[in-house]
Amino acid sequence: MYQQDELEAVRRSLDELARKVEQLERRTAPQPPDRARPAAAQPLPMVAIPDAPYDSALWTDSDDEGLGARGRRAP
């Protein structure tokens, strides 16, 4: 009886897997041309980032990410 229950559970799992694969195939099927997505948008222009150092005032009262707040000791 125990093997019969296991076999039935495997069959149910396989049926569920088959249903999920069918759903995935339907969702990923190619779309007809009239419903196709619009052409890719124009790429964004590149932004130049200067090599000059940042103003240190930008970092006032900031925490070092992952290191905790300045001036405090770890427990």
Side-chain angles (χ1 to χ4, degrees):
M1 184 88 171
Y2 180 71
Q3 286 179 335
Q4 194 104 15
D5 294 340
E6 282 187 350
L7 185 59
E8 188 59 35
V10 169
R11 284 184 183 140
R12 282 193 306 269
S13 295
L14 286 174
D15 289 343
E16 179 67 19
L17 177 61
R19 280 193 296 276
K20 295 289 184 180
V21 168
E22 288 173 5
Q23 289 174 356
L24 181 61
E25 286 174 342
R26 281 194 300 268
R27 283 191 301 196
T28 59
Q31 297 291 323
D34 61 319
R35 296 187 69 209
R37 292 183 179 175
Q42 295 293 328
L44 297 174
M46 293 185 78
V47 176
I49 299 175
D51 289 332
Y54 289 107
D55 181 8
S56 61
L58 291 172
W59 312 116
T60 304
D61 296 330
S62 68
D63 292 344
D64 292 324
E65 188 172 331
L67 301 177
R70 294 182 188 182
R72 290 195 212 158
R73 294 178 48 92

